[in-house]
Amino acid sequence: MKLNTRTIKIISQVLFFILFAIIISLSYKQSPPDWYKNLPQALSPLSLIITLIADKTIHPIMLSSIVVIVSTIITGRVFCGYVCPLGAIIDTADYIFGRIRGRVGAKLPAFLYNIKYSLLIVAITLAIIGSTILLILDPLSLTSQLFTVILFPFFNTIGMWLVKLLLFLGVSPFSDTVVFIEKELLFELSPVYRFTPFILIICFILLLSIITRRGWCRYICPLGALLSLIGTRAPFARQLTDDCIGRGACERLCRMGILAESGMQTRKSECILCGECAFICAKEAVLYTARGKHKTDSTNRSKFLLTRRTLFTGLGIGFLSIIPIKLIKKKDTVIRPPGTDRERLEKLCLRCGLCIRVCPTNALQHDILHTSLSALFTPQLVARVGPCSFNCNLCGRVCPSGAIPKLTLKIKQKTRMGQAEIVRATCLSWLGETCMLCQEVCPTPTKAIITRHRRNHPEFKGIPAPEVDKDLCIGCGYCENICPVEPPAIKVHPLEFQ
Amino acid sequence: MIWNIKEYYQLTRREFINSSIKAITSLSLAGLLASSVMGQSKGVFWSDLASPDTNTKLYIVKGYDIYGATRKAIELAGGLAGVVKKGDRILVKPNMSFNRAPEYGANTHPDVVTAVVDMVYKAGAKQVYIVDNTVEQARGSYDISGIENAGKSAGAKVILFNQRDTREIKIPSAQKLKSTTIHRLCLECDAIINVPVAKNHNLTKLSLSIKNLMGLAGEGRWRWHKNISKCLADFYSYVKPPVTIMDASRILLRNGPSGGNLNDVKWTNMIIVSKDGVACDAYATTLFGMAPSDIGYIKECANRGLGITDPEQVKFIKETI
């Protein structure tokens, strides 16, 4: 097989996708090093720019996206074609839905290309008022969420069924196979995420393949828009040799739909260098080289770039969307991961869901309109699902943008997330039935739950009852998690600013 | 016999030299005697665990080398030959309830587990299992306690506690705990070896060998808390492991059972072996400055005749390495 550009692209996509999957699979490991765990999520220049505008800070790992910026300056949107894991998924979906769609797909009006630029402007406008909500459309965050919320739980369920099947077939639950599967491949607790919104977004992206190829990348992806802008003047691009006869086969088959005049004209800023046109060309007239050697390609640079109209549409929508962002706010507060609060998350969270992925107790869940629209998909701590593990600071260690600060274990163990409070009306111990589970599990070095006795009460004399020491409680939620009463008789209340 | 351990271990140099000379002479004499009298026979002199001797004995070895001390203590007791037969499957039950490093004293020290597993294999066991129903997240606790690695490298199978693997049992003689769930390995294995750690506990004051067995029970064990002493005695009467190897290398004095403060941990460098868990617990209470009658479940077990708490009736064999 000849190694043409198209083959190289497919190999690169597969390799990068596997790399992404391996890194996100291993990210839950408690042991250092940490530098690789959030690398895929930190690669997006969009996240870098948006968080920089919103919070005026840069987290060191985010600088790795400079690699992407430099490669884009030289070669255009090569990231979209060769690296982006969501691009790989979309290409696969394109292939699967090819029968329904037909090879070429529907011809959509050209102004749709401008949507992504408008979205980019909206994202920047919202970032100026301190909300990074549009990062939910960042393809790296989306892929990360896809793994966290849909793929890993899915594989976990399959693994559980596999174990059930093995047990049904008479394999001992203590045999090496079952122990290995349960300990190394499965989650300790089956993940319980509210995945509906993510399913909807992912389905929308995949179903776009029925209409057109790479529909998401063409029309919507704000990262694609940013890379298009950066890579407008890329010297390394699609070129034509003199052999081109203008047959136009490439124009119809272009993945991004950016060829014109029978393939003689390329909108280079949108080109992802996928090599489809070079593959289809009978004359082998398409080359990917540095500019200046071949002059037959009359490039049209300006047509689908940021026009004045796009800019103002974006600004208009951006300013209009400030209203719902500012208005849709509840008075509720929720417990946040250690060391962070709602405002910080609104400004810095990439919505990649990596903290939710790595949380060993499943305590971190998505905040889906619990507090405000701006904090959509940011992490919250649900103590009833799981406590904040005392000897774990992984969420802070993996957070690519520093939305959850990187706390050392010693500091994290003293960081307050909330405040536990006992509901004496339902607490078993206060009702005279010794329980004290909350005190048993309380992980602070000096127990934050102290024993009280109802000395004066004749019935309950000598029966210990729990009470929270407010100075020692860090709100980790162990007590609420283990409380046998439903609803829990000890509840962790969030601190006011969260 | 006095319960005061301090007097026993605070030796002056002269006393130490004297006693060690005595010990060496008597040991060598004993060895000579043994070899001449017993000839080729495999038995050891004071093989408590191997022989059906009714006299309760407590083997206490003090030493900084935890692995060595554990081995020494088991060897003093005559090895595990009386408990483990060739080809047996053995369940080792350490305490690894909490996500804490060994030095915090919340879990059994991994070196103790290694030594026990080694000795069990040496006695001819076919397979050793390690299981515990942890209070905190199982994986973190198994990992950070160091017991998973220790057990694995010694050749044991470390099993995650799964509710699926529990079985319902009935205890006809029970006062409170008529039925409960228990891990099926308890029912399937030939013997359970209890490897508890001596530590403080918020509800029962001390968590010792009998309390450690609670880690074999499955769902709903929190209900025991209402009548913890009686339930533990009921459960102990059902399970009753043939040998208890208590890790008192360091004891947690306050803020138990999870601990977390190194100031609460006192290094006592002791390993206690006995076939009577109650006697073991009764002795361990003195390390905390308490009496056996202070602890509800020990009192309950003694009242029911499940073991001996009176130090006068227990024979102590102590050694320092």
Side-chain angles (χ1 to χ4, degrees):
Chain A
M1 193 175 67
K2 205 182 154 198
L3 202 66
N4 53 32
T5 319
R6 185 169 170 269
T7 322
I8 294 170
K9 176 218 158 213
I10 292 171
I11 292 170
S12 162
Q13 272 183 312
V14 170
L15 284 181
F16 273 107
F17 189 81
I18 292 172
L19 197 65
F20 188 95
I22 289 174
I23 291 176
I24 197 170
S25 305
L26 294 179
S27 57
Y28 75 95
K29 296 255 181 211
Q30 288 282 354
S31 53
D34 291 334
W35 61 268
Y36 70 89
K37 290 177 183 165
N38 48 19
L39 208 53
Q41 287 78 7
L43 265 186
S44 156
L46 181 71
S47 304
L48 174 76
I49 287 172
I50 297 291
T51 51
L52 183 61
I53 294 170
D55 198 59
K56 292 155 196 84
T57 50
I58 297 180
H59 205 248
I61 189 78
M62 298 289 284
L63 291 175
S64 59
S65 61
I66 287 175
V67 178
V68 177
I69 295 178
V70 170
S71 76
T72 310
I73 289 171
I74 299 168
T75 56
R77 279 176 75 173
V78 70
F79 175 84
C80 304
Y82 290 71
V83 182
C84 181
L86 191 64
I89 295 170
I90 291 171
D91 274 349
T92 317
D94 284 346
Y95 181 76
I96 293 167
F97 290 122
R99 283 274 165 84
I100 309 170
R101 182 190 61 235
R103 242 184 133 183
V104 182
K107 193 148 181 72
L108 295 172
F111 73 85
L112 288 178
Y113 281 87
N114 293 340
I115 295 175
K116 60 176 180 289
Y117 297 109
S118 300
L119 276 176
L120 179 65
I121 300 297
V122 174
I124 290 170
T125 321
L126 290 179
I128 291 167
I129 64 152
S131 170
T132 57
I133 180 169
L134 272 202
L135 283 182
I136 58 173
L137 298 180
D138 186 300
L140 290 167
S141 296
L142 267 174
T143 324
S144 184
Q145 294 276 17
L146 171 76
F147 270 92
T148 304
V149 178
I150 300 165
L151 290 184
F152 285 131
F154 177 68
F155 289 134
N156 195 53
T157 316
I158 289 182
M160 277 157 67
W161 280 101
L162 183 71
V163 169
K164 270 184 192 164
L165 181 74
L166 284 174
L167 294 182
F168 179 74
L169 292 174
V171 180
S172 159
F174 314 118
S175 64
D176 288 329
T177 332
V178 176
V179 168
F180 175 78
I181 293 175
E182 291 206 315
K183 211 178 248 169
E184 307 296 332
L185 301 183
L186 297 188
F187 289 89
E188 181 167 357
L189 306 157
S190 336
V192 277
Y193 305 121
R194 293 208 288 158
F195 50 78
T196 335
F198 300 98
I199 291 254
L200 290 178
I201 295 174
I202 297 292
C203 282
F204 170 71
I205 293 172
L206 296 184
L207 291 180
L208 271 180
S209 296
I210 294 178
I211 305 166
T212 176
R213 299 171 91 185
R214 284 258 185 177
W216 167 268
C217 313
R218 285 186 194 186
Y219 304 128
I220 299 162
C221 182
L223 177 63
L226 183 69
L227 295 182
S228 289
L229 291 176
I230 296 172
T232 314
R233 294 184 175 276
F236 189 94
R238 178 180 185 265
Q239 308 285 341
L240 296 176
T241 65
D242 295 330
D243 293 337
C244 178
I245 52 169
R247 191 163 61 107
C250 50
E251 189 195 334
R252 276 182 293 118
L253 286 172
C254 178
R255 212 174 271 274
M256 297 293 284
I258 48 157
L259 299 182
E261 291 183 12
S262 307
M264 304 279 275
Q265 208 179 57
T266 325
R267 275 151 237 145
K268 276 184 183 162
S269 59
E270 305 272 357
C271 179
I272 59 169
L273 286 79
C274 67
E276 200 78 8
C277 45
F279 182 72
I280 210 83
C281 185
K283 294 280 177 189
E284 295 183 4
V286 181
L287 294 173
Y288 293 95
T289 55
R291 190 186 302 173
K293 287 179 187 163
H294 309 282
K295 308 243 183 218
T296 39
D297 182 15
S298 57
T299 45
N300 182 344
R301 213 174 283 132
S302 67
K303 199 168 176 188
F304 292 127
L305 269 186
L306 194 61
T307 58
R308 200 174 296 144
R309 187 182 289 171
T310 325
L311 182 71
F312 284 112
T313 320
L315 282 175
I317 298 171
F319 281 114
L320 279 179
S321 50
I322 290 175
I323 300 166
I325 293 283
K326 286 275 176 201
L327 281 187
I328 301 182
K329 245 177 215 167
K330 293 184 187 169
K331 277 190 179 165
D332 292 6
T333 48
V334 293
I335 310 169
R336 298 294 184 181
T340 189
D341 54 50
R342 202 198 72 227
E343 268 184 31
R344 194 180 163 89
L345 286 170
E346 280 178 356
K347 275 184 186 171
L348 276 171
C349 181
L350 303 187
R351 273 79 169 173
C352 64
L354 193 60
C355 47
I356 293 162
R357 153 79 187 115
V358 299
C359 183
T361 57
N362 277 341
L364 292 185
Q365 302 278 327
H366 296 98
D367 171 6
I368 300 178
L369 298 179
H370 284 292
T371 51
S372 68
L373 179 64
S374 185
L376 188 70
F377 298 162
T378 53
Q380 74 171 95
L381 203 147
V382 184
R384 207 56 179 156
V385 179
C388 178
S389 186
F390 194 65
N391 274 338
C392 165
N393 54 355
L394 205 51
C395 50
R397 272 158 55 194
V398 300
C399 183
S401 63
I404 306 172
K406 194 173 181 170
L407 304 172
T408 58
L409 208 52
K410 259 192 184 154
I411 296 172
K412 185 251 154 185
Q413 287 171 349
K414 286 176 188 157
T415 307
R416 281 172 56 130
M417 290 166 274
Q419 173 71 63
E421 212 167 295
I422 287 168
V423 186
R424 290 192 182 181
T426 54
C427 174
L428 288 180
S429 291
W430 281 103
L431 292 174
E433 197 177 310
T434 315
C435 166
M436 298 304 277
L437 276 175
C438 46
Q439 192 184 46
E440 181 170 351
V441 297
C442 182
T444 51
T446 308
K447 298 251 176 214
I449 293 175
I450 40 182
T451 312
R452 283 265 180 275
H453 292 280
R454 283 188 176 181
R455 284 210 185 77
N456 303 328
H457 201 289
E459 251 182 81
F460 301 142
K461 210 172 175 185
I463 290 173
E467 197 169 85
V468 179
D469 186 330
K470 299 209 160 150
D471 297 329
L472 292 170
C473 179
I474 56 167
C476 58
Y478 271 87
C479 44
E480 185 181 333
N481 184 253
I482 201 137
C483 184
V485 184
E486 187 64 48
I490 183 162
K491 222 177 149 23
V492 181
H493 295 289
L495 304 174
E496 270 173 31
F497 54 87
Q498 284 172 331
Chain B
M1 176 59 63
I2 326 152
W3 278 114
N4 197 341
I5 192 72
K6 265 189 187 165
E7 279 176 28
Y8 183 77
Y9 282 109
Q10 280 175 351
L11 302 170
T12 60
R13 188 181 295 149
R14 180 167 297 174
E15 278 172 345
F16 175 74
I17 293 168
N18 278 343
S19 57
S20 42
I21 289 169
K22 274 180 206 163
I24 291 166
T25 6
S26 52
L27 268 173
S28 46
L29 273 173
L32 278 170
L33 252 168
S35 53
S36 58
V37 173
M38 292 180 136
Q40 293 291 316
S41 73
K42 264 174 89 184
V44 188
F45 252 146
W46 42 73
S47 177
D48 174 24
L49 296 173
S51 72
D53 187 359
T54 46
N55 219 347
T56 303
K57 288 173 194 156
L58 224 53
Y59 302 89
I60 303 163
V61 172
K62 197 169 176 178
Y64 291 108
D65 172 18
I66 297 170
Y67 179 85
T70 313
R71 274 193 85 114
K72 185 77 198 168
I74 299 172
E75 274 160 12
L76 266 186
L80 292 167
V83 179
V84 182
K85 283 177 272 309
K86 209 163 184 211
D88 269 4
R89 296 162 83 209
I90 302 295
L91 176 63
V92 171
K93 167 67 182 72
N95 192 334
M96 43 177 164
S97 287
F98 291 94
N99 199 332
R100 295 271 191 229
E103 64 265 24
Y104 287 101
N107 301 317
T108 308
H109 200 284
D111 288 354
V112 177
V113 179
T114 317
V116 171
V117 174
D118 281 352
M119 293 302 278
V120 172
Y121 273 124
K122 208 179 151 196
K126 192 176 76 183
Q127 183 68 58
V128 179
Y129 297 101
I130 295 177
V131 77
D132 190 9
N133 192 357
T134 56
V135 175
E136 277 191 52
Q137 293 285 298
R139 273 170 220 211
S141 311
Y142 275 46
D143 183 25
I144 292 181
S145 68
I147 291 175
E148 184 174 5
N149 276 334
K152 264 187 192 166
S153 50
K157 258 188 197 173
V158 186
I159 310 279
L160 286 175
F161 195 102
N162 196 325
Q163 294 303 332
R164 176 195 67 209
D165 298 329
T166 55
R167 297 285 178 269
E168 177 103 24
I169 53 159
K170 299 239 179 303
I171 309 173
S173 62
Q175 290 182 12
K176 283 284 172 198
L177 195 71
K178 292 283 181 201
S179 75
T180 183
T181 54
I182 190 170
H183 199 271
R184 57 183 270 197
L185 276 175
C186 304
L187 311 171
E188 289 170 9
C189 283
D190 298 292
I192 301 168
I193 294 179
N194 197 4
V195 192
V197 63
K199 60 174 173 175
N200 172 273
H201 191 277
N202 68 325
L203 191 62
T204 60
K205 292 184 192 165
L206 293 181
S207 169
L208 302 165
S209 69
I210 299 167
K211 179 76 179 65
N212 182 37
L213 292 172
M214 205 169 163
L216 292 171
E219 223 159 7
R221 56 180 178 155
W222 67 269
R223 284 173 216 279
W224 300 13
H225 279 205
K226 197 178 168 187
N227 288 301
I228 187 77
S229 301
K230 286 194 169 160
C231 286
L232 281 173
D234 289 338
F235 194 63
Y236 182 69
S237 71
Y238 182 86
V239 183
K240 208 164 186 187
V243 56
T244 301
I245 299 158
M246 185 182 282
D247 169 22
S249 59
R250 68 263 180 271
I251 56 174
L252 182 66
L253 297 173
R254 286 171 292 273
N255 293 312
S258 58
N261 193 344
L262 287 177
N263 294 332
D264 295 343
V265 181
K266 184 180 156 198
W267 284 82
T268 43
N269 304 313
M270 226 182 275
I271 304 290
I272 308 162
V273 176
S274 175
K275 60 178 180 183
D276 183 354
V278 181
C280 227
D281 285 4
Y283 176 72
T285 53
T286 60
L287 302 179
F288 295 85
M290 294 185 190
S293 55
D294 291 345
I295 314 298
Y297 61 87
I298 300 177
K299 215 162 90 182
E300 185 73 30
C301 285
N303 287 346
R304 294 192 197 178
L306 293 167
I308 294 165
T309 54
D310 183 11
E312 301 293 336
Q313 296 175 31
V314 181
K315 202 177 165 198
F316 288 82
I317 295 106
K318 299 186 180 181
E319 199 166 311
T320 311
I321 59 163

